[in-house]
Amino acid sequence: MQPDSTMIKKAKKKRYEWPPPEGTEDVYVPRARNPIHSILTALPIIMLIVGLYLYYQGESEQSHSAPIRAESVDAEGIFTGLSAIKSGSSGGRHYLWFEQEGKSRGIRIQPHEATLLESLARGESLSVRMAPSVAGSRTFWAWYVEQDGVVYLDNSEKLQ
């Protein structure tokens, strides 16, 4: 079946030539960028970099500081387990989990302390002393763990 010559639209304008001939009005000239537009375009990337820097700086301060004795809190509950979140090169974040008044609660522990606490019996009563390592933080670190009269962790000499 041959296409009907009446069905094909004829171009009214001349075809575009690439590269355009020099000295014509068809030459592409990039527009001058507004400096404010450039800053606004880069702003989300700058904010992301600053946010990541502040997060990792705060996390580093949390994990490399000793718990604060003045903000220490005692807690009792039922031991439910240990967990680790693999992040960064320092072995990740480790948590000791227990139920206190029907609510599950996780407190941070150092990676090397996780091996000391592996022998805790699940479902048994647990006594914990914890404190933040940065003043005013809501992240608590265990510095004393006891179960059935056996002390599994005692870092009282490292408290600030």
Side-chain angles (χ1 to χ4, degrees):
M1 179 180 226
Q2 290 289 336
D4 189 7
S5 63
T6 59
M7 294 181 70
I8 298 175
K9 281 178 103 176
K10 298 257 183 197
K12 293 182 182 177
K13 290 185 179 178
K14 187 175 135 188
R15 285 189 170 172
Y16 185 75
E17 293 178 24
W18 188 258
E22 293 292 323
T24 66
E25 63 226 23
D26 294 337
V27 175
Y28 173 73
V29 178
R31 291 187 311 165
R33 282 193 118 178
N34 186 342
I36 293 174
H37 181 264
S38 298
I39 291 170
L40 290 177
T41 303
L43 194 59
I45 295 168
I46 293 169
M47 289 171 55
L48 175 67
I49 291 170
V50 169
L52 287 172
Y53 173 77
L54 292 174
Y55 171 78
Y56 283 109
Q57 181 183 16
E59 179 64 27
S60 176
E61 188 176 345
Q62 283 275 352
S63 60
H64 292 97
S65 299
I68 302 169
R69 183 184 304 270
E71 296 184 31
S72 183
V73 176
D74 294 350
E76 299 225 358
I78 306 298
F79 176 66
T80 56
L82 299 170
S83 69
I85 299 173
K86 303 290 183 201
S87 66
S89 60
S90 64
R93 295 180 299 199
H94 293 261
Y95 292 89
L96 176 131
W97 292 92
F98 63 98
E99 275 192 28
Q100 184 182 27
E101 299 172 0
K103 291 184 178 180
S104 185
R105 185 166 187 181
I107 54 175
R108 295 278 301 266
I109 56 174
Q110 294 291 345
H112 67 277
E113 296 170 347
T115 55
L116 299 171
L117 300 173
E118 285 178 345
S119 56
L120 288 169
R122 291 182 190 222
E124 298 293 321
S125 181
L126 181 74
S127 176
V128 178
R129 293 181 190 152
M130 56 192 165
S133 59
V134 175
S137 174
R138 295 186 330 178
T139 303
F140 284 85
W141 293 78
W143 62 270
Y144 182 86
V145 177
E146 179 183 338
Q147 187 178 55
D148 295 331
V150 178
V151 176
Y152 288 89
L153 178 67
D154 186 3
N155 288 335
S156 56
E157 72 280 350
K158 293 181 182 178
L159 292 175
Q160 300 183 35

